[in-house]
Amino acid sequence: MPVTSVVKDEETLTLTVHAEFPVPVERLWDAYLDPRQLEKFWGPVGYPATFTRHDGAAGGRSNYYMTSPEGENYHGYWQWTEVVEHKFFEVTDGFAHADGTPNTDLPTTRTVFTFDPVPDGSKLTVTTNFTTVSELEQLVSMGMDEGLRSAMSQIEQVLIDLRNYAQTFSTEAQALSDTHVRVSRLIRGTLEQVWRAHHDAELMQRWLLGPDGWTMTECLLPGAVGEHYRYWWEPGPDTEGQGFGFTGECLASIPQSYESFTEQMIGTDYPPTLNETTFTPTTGGTLLSLVITYPDAETRDTVLATGMIDGMEVSYRRLESLL
């Protein structure tokens, strides 16, 4: 068992969990910042977690839910307040309703995850800070300490099984629900490079092309939240197909961390999707996580069947060659 101690202190209003793992701090850090890995151990045994957003930067947010063996979903969120890479991150941790809004009937806590190197690997300290003794006792009575122990009992196996997980440089799609799909790609490049590659129109026209033979003829980017964008592609003389494009609105942006857009195919009556992209620095490069919200499962499956993921992989390889 990686957990070495769990300490409840009513004087300081804290619950502190200590655990040690036989991997470097960087490897453990990446497991917490990568939603694909975090999902494998955040929930207690038998209650797997699904993260529909996971920013990993000050001002960011994580939305998740845990699913019980009976199929019930229990929602929660993190509001990220401070991050020092490979040292610690601090979040406001709270319960949520199914629509993601905070459940104010239950307490919120301030939780700090601290990562320290030790001779045989790394030490993780999770300190949960409460406002009152009654709130501490309430969450402990709900099984918070047992839940943390149970969740952490899964980390070591995840770290072993996924030792090279973050080094898998290929685009993958994961259906999170009937309407949510997460597309992930680790890109060989710094956070600054990858962010710029998605916000420099001239650079985008050199890599965001999909299969060879296509040209991006329009790349109009929004200058701020609330503004619109427009992309258009045309096939080359030896390429089959017709021109197509997308348009949408920028809904939110946290520089070098997170942004969300609506997206609608030009000239169609398909309902728009919500596209949320998170940029996360990792040991191997920058992890790009795109969560797409479709109106229904049929639309989701229709879009994925177009070969979208293959086209994205070709584009990301092209981007890496430029970086």
Side-chain angles (χ1 to χ4, degrees), residues 9-309:
D9 190 330
E10 293 187 356
E11 290 188 4
T12 60
L13 298 178
T14 58
L15 180 69
T16 304
V17 180
H18 300 277
E20 295 187 6
F21 303 93
V23 295
V25 163
E26 293 79 8
R27 176 68 188 90
L28 184 60
W29 177 270
D30 285 350
Y32 270 89
L33 271 289
D34 183 343
R36 301 170 300 174
Q37 300 182 57
L38 182 58
E39 286 173 339
K40 295 182 180 296
F41 63 81
W42 178 243
V45 174
Y47 288 74
T50 299
F51 279 77
T52 55
R53 178 174 172 180
H54 189 53
D55 293 353
R61 185 180 177 90
S62 296
N63 294 324
Y64 69 91
Y65 60 88
M66 294 179 287
T67 303
S68 74
E70 295 75 31
E72 296 177 288
N73 292 334
Y74 300 93
H75 294 260
Y77 71 92
W78 291 351
Q79 193 70 45
W80 295 69
T81 54
E82 188 174 2
V83 180
V84 177
E85 189 175 21
H86 298 156
K87 297 294 185 181
F88 75 91
F89 64 84
E90 178 181 310
V91 301
T92 297
D93 187 0
F95 296 87
H97 298 292
D99 62 0
T101 57
N103 182 350
T104 56
D105 293 334
L106 293 170
T108 59
T109 60
R110 181 175 63 87
T111 304
V112 182
F113 297 77
T114 304
F115 301 75
D116 293 302
V118 294
D120 295 325
S122 54
K123 177 182 178 181
L124 173 66
T125 303
V126 182
T127 304
T128 303
N129 298 267
F130 300 85
T131 304
T132 65
V133 172
S134 61
E135 289 184 353
L136 188 161
E137 295 296 345
Q138 180 183 2
L139 291 186
V140 169
S141 67
M142 292 171 62
M144 181 177 184
D145 54 346
E146 289 89 350
L148 285 170
R149 284 180 180 271
S150 179
M152 285 194 177
S153 71
Q154 304 170 98
I155 302 180
E156 190 167 23
Q157 190 60 48
V158 169
L159 295 173
I160 293 172
D161 292 345
L162 304 180
R163 192 172 299 277
N164 297 314
Y165 192 90
Q167 303 303 320
T168 302
F169 294 88
S170 61
T171 305
E172 62 177 28
Q174 177 187 1
L176 303 180
S177 70
D178 286 346
T179 58
H180 293 90
V181 171
R182 181 170 60 222
V183 180
S184 303
R185 179 57 152 86
L186 182 63
I187 299 174
R188 299 176 180 87
T190 66
L191 175 62
E192 292 78 10
Q193 289 175 320
V194 176
W195 177 267
R196 176 175 173 266
H198 286 77
H199 297 83
D200 182 317
E202 182 179 348
L203 184 54
M204 289 178 69
Q205 288 180 287
R206 296 173 61 191
W207 70 267
L208 190 57
L209 307 177
D212 292 334
W214 288 81
T215 301
M216 191 178 194
T217 57
E218 287 186 66
C219 185
L220 304 178
L221 300 177
V225 172
E227 295 187 4
H228 289 74
Y229 69 92
R230 178 184 171 93
Y231 303 151
W232 189 266
W233 291 267
E234 288 286 348
D238 300 322
T239 303
E240 295 183 359
Q242 297 181 339
F244 69 95
F246 295 95
T247 187
E249 178 185 354
C250 178
L251 302 178
S253 179
I254 303 174
Q256 297 190 20
S257 175
Y258 168 85
E259 58 189 3
S260 66
F261 295 87
T262 60
E263 180 179 270
Q264 186 166 29
M265 194 169 189
I266 297 172
T268 71
D269 57 1
Y270 288 129
T273 62
L274 173 64
N275 295 1
E276 300 177 89
T277 306
T278 300
F279 301 76
T280 304
T282 72
T283 304
T286 300
L287 176 64
L288 199 69
S289 297
L290 167 63
V291 176
I292 307 172
T293 304
Y294 294 96
D296 50 56
E298 182 180 2
T299 303
R300 178 200 68 184
D301 294 341
T302 299
V303 174
L304 292 179
T306 63
M308 177 184 76
I309 302 303

